[in-house]
Amino acid sequence: MSSRALSKYILKCPRCGFEVEANPYVMRCPRCGELLDAVLIADRVRINWGSLRDRGVWRYRDLLPEPDNVITMGEGSTPLIRLRGYGNAYVKFEGANPTGSFKDRGMTVGVSLASSIGVRGVIVASTGNTAASAAAYAARAGLECVVVLPKGGVARGKLGQAMLHGARIVEVPGTFDNALEYVLETVLSNGHVEDAHYYPLNSINPWRLEGQKTIAFEIVEEIGVPDYVFVPVGNGGNIYAIWKGFRELMELGIIDRVPRMIGVQAEGAAPMVRYWRGLGEARVDNPRTVASAIRIGKPVNWFRAYRAAKYSGGMFIEVSDEEILTAQKVLGREGIGVEPASAASLAGYIRALREGLVDARDKVVLIATGHALKDPDALLAGNGNNAISISSIDELKALVINGKI
Ligand code: F0G
């Protein structure tokens, strides 16, 4: 890999301040063990906002790692859709990415880096979307892909995608938290990538998160700085990445404030809410929710997520499974199809409006993280089958022409 790839960055510990020269292998602080931040060095960055080229994630290459091999499928540039039913809100529809979730923004950067440093393959633990995305981008790069999944805990669409793209699937007992532990214990030693054959692309990897921060750049280009951004939180990487994107634009003098970041969790899997309220560690032992993508009890990025909410003036809130499924339906009836976890952002917004945490005039962006087709079982279970069986044209005529339908 050329030395230019990460040359605009240093790796810095957000807890003890220790700094390491940017490289693809060190993920945790060698001194205190915290996950390291990839920090852009302002005088190494040159960006001319007015003359940005292309579309998608690589439009912002000036603010991203620049690996030699770029593995891209046009991810990013997702629609920002005005919500009709509630307040002053827009839905950032990440389901429109190549594999149907925001993970593709991260994987285009992460897999490009893996390909450039010359590894045999990539490895991830996943509740499904990371697996689908890693599998697709690895396939495109000609790399092997190992996905470690909680047995029985992954929605069928995502499992099918990982199979389609030729990933090696390993199932483990327990939840995502167990799967992640298997992966990190296998490939990381003291936060340093040990087995360079399989490069880890979970969100502990700061370079993958660099891709995800482009969500913030696109929002700013389209509608300026919103007042609030609602993000469904599982492992906590995405809320941090989006906040980091806004903060970098502020540091570069492109915007003058950062939106309040609101992390939304499902009631049965809300370790960040617990921590936020001062009720103990960011940890829930037996996470439960219908939203399998965010069924996570030990968010590895808890400190990153915490900083995003705290330093933006935001917070963490929780919603019930019922509120999530209602919000999924509300979006569905507006033509926007999301999986349950993604509907948590609207569920959180509805609750925040009701509780007066947010004013209906505030400009809000709801991150809709993954596509409805990811979880077909949730769609079929949640909407009732109102199909009418007929067997003659006359019956259809009777229904349609006589308005009986
Ligand atoms: N929404 C969806 C649809 C997700 O798949 C995830 C995470 C999140 C929200 C939460 O993002 O973890 O950065 O806080 N899915 C991971 C996976 C865990 O394996 O696909 P986060």
Side-chain angles (χ1 to χ4, degrees), residues 49-105:
W49 205 249
S51 64
L52 291 179
R53 293 162 291 146
D54 303 340
R55 54 193 297 290
V57 166
W58 295 101
R59 171 176 175 77
Y60 308 104
R61 59 169 65 78
D62 293 342
L63 301 177
L64 294 173
E66 295 188 74
D68 300 336
N69 307 334
V70 173
I71 313 297
T72 178
M73 294 192 274
E75 53 293 314
S77 289
T78 54
L80 192 60
I81 309 166
R82 184 68 193 254
L83 195 64
R84 285 184 285 126
Y86 292 88
N88 182 13
Y90 297 79
V91 175
K92 184 70 170 155
F93 185 53
E94 291 296 295
N97 278 298
T99 76
S101 84
F102 69 97
K103 307 286 182 179
D104 295 344
R105 295 178 183 269

Side-chain angles (χ1 to χ4, degrees), residues 102-103 126-130 232-238 293-294 296 339 369:
F102 69 97
K103 307 286 182 179
S126 181
T127 56
N129 282 324
T130 295
V233 171
N235 229 356
N238 203 35
I294 53 171
I296 294 177
E339 65 171 292
T369 44

Side-chain angles (χ1 to χ4, degrees), residues 388-400:
I388 302 169
S389 282
I390 58 167
S391 53
S392 74
I393 293 169
D394 283 343
E395 283 176 275
L396 183 60
K397 282 185 181 165
L399 290 170
V400 173

Side-chain angles (χ1 to χ4, degrees), residues 33-369:
E34 188 51 65
L35 290 171
L36 293 165
D37 285 344
V39 179
L40 277 175
I41 306 299
D43 56 14
R44 297 186 198 163
V45 168
R46 230 157 268 128
I47 183 161
N48 183 351
W49 205 249
S51 64
L52 291 179
R53 293 162 291 146
D54 303 340
R55 54 193 297 290
V57 166
W58 295 101
R59 171 176 175 77
Y60 308 104
R61 59 169 65 78
D62 293 342
L63 301 177
L64 294 173
E66 295 188 74
D68 300 336
N69 307 334
V70 173
I71 313 297
T72 178
M73 294 192 274
E75 53 293 314
S77 289
T78 54
L80 192 60
I81 309 166
R82 184 68 193 254
L83 195 64
R84 285 184 285 126
Y86 292 88
N88 182 13
Y90 297 79
V91 175
K92 184 70 170 155
F93 185 53
E94 291 296 295
N97 278 298
T99 76
S101 84
F102 69 97
K103 307 286 182 179
D104 295 344
R105 295 178 183 269
M107 287 302 165
T108 186
V109 176
V111 172
S112 296
L113 197 61
S115 161
S116 303
I117 58 184
V119 293
R120 184 161 145 202
V122 299
I123 184 167
V124 293
S126 181
T127 56
N129 282 324
T130 295
S133 183
Y137 281 81
R140 188 104 196 132
L143 294 173
E144 291 177 21
C145 179
V146 178
V147 303
V148 183
L149 308 178
K151 193 172 172 58
V154 171
R156 280 200 300 156
K158 306 171 189 182
L159 192 59
Q161 285 181 291
M163 290 160 64
L164 175 67
H165 299 305
R168 166 67 67 189
I169 297 170
V170 181
E171 292 182 323
V172 303
T175 65
F176 168 84
D177 302 306
N178 303 100
L180 184 61
E181 199 181 341
Y182 275 65
V183 170
L184 299 186
E185 291 293 322
T186 301
V187 296
L188 281 190
S189 161
N190 291 325
H192 192 290
V193 178
E194 194 172 48
D195 170 15
H197 295 309
Y198 287 93
Y199 189 62
L201 284 178
N202 278 106
S203 48
I204 48 142
N205 187 312
W207 310 113
R208 193 194 105 189
L209 294 178
E210 287 301 280
Q212 291 171 211
K213 77 186 180 186
T214 58
I215 289 177
F217 301 165
E218 289 176 12
I219 292 171
V220 167
E221 279 207 274
E222 204 160 335
I223 57 165
V225 184
D227 298 306
Y228 293 87
V229 178
F230 283 70
V231 190
V233 171
N235 229 356
N238 203 35
I239 190 171
Y240 162 80
I242 298 171
W243 168 66
K244 184 174 193 284
F246 285 113
R247 212 192 49 192
E248 284 176 1
L249 295 189
M250 194 165 84
E251 282 161 6
L252 292 166
I254 294 163
I255 58 177
D256 61 5
R257 68 192 171 92
V258 164
R260 294 176 193 270
M261 304 297 301
I262 312 291
V264 187
Q265 298 207 287
E267 258 168 21
M272 291 308 301
V273 176
R274 180 179 137 94
Y275 182 73
W276 187 257
R277 294 183 180 159
L279 300 175
E281 274 181 79
R283 183 186 168 125
V284 168
D285 279 332
N286 193 4
R288 278 169 215 267
T289 166
V290 62
S292 59
I294 53 171
R295 195 181 290 147
I296 294 177
K298 291 189 233 162
V300 72
N301 297 295
W302 70 271
F303 188 53
R304 287 174 167 165
Y306 173 74
R307 284 185 288 145
K310 182 169 167 67
Y311 298 130
S312 68
M315 67 180 114
F316 290 92
I317 60 176
E318 61 186 353
V319 290
S320 67
D321 278 2
E322 198 185 330
E323 289 172 288
I324 287 175
L325 294 174
T326 301
Q328 184 189 30
K329 214 172 269 184
V330 169
L331 289 170
R333 300 300 192 262
E334 292 212 12
I336 303 168
V338 305
E339 65 171 292
S342 310
S345 42
L346 174 60
Y349 177 50
I350 293 173
R351 191 181 264 222
L353 280 173
R354 200 173 60 226
E355 292 179 1
L357 300 170
V358 172
D359 190 276
R361 284 161 303 186
D362 291 329
K363 196 196 284 182
V364 169
V365 174
L366 310 173
I367 309 297
T369 44

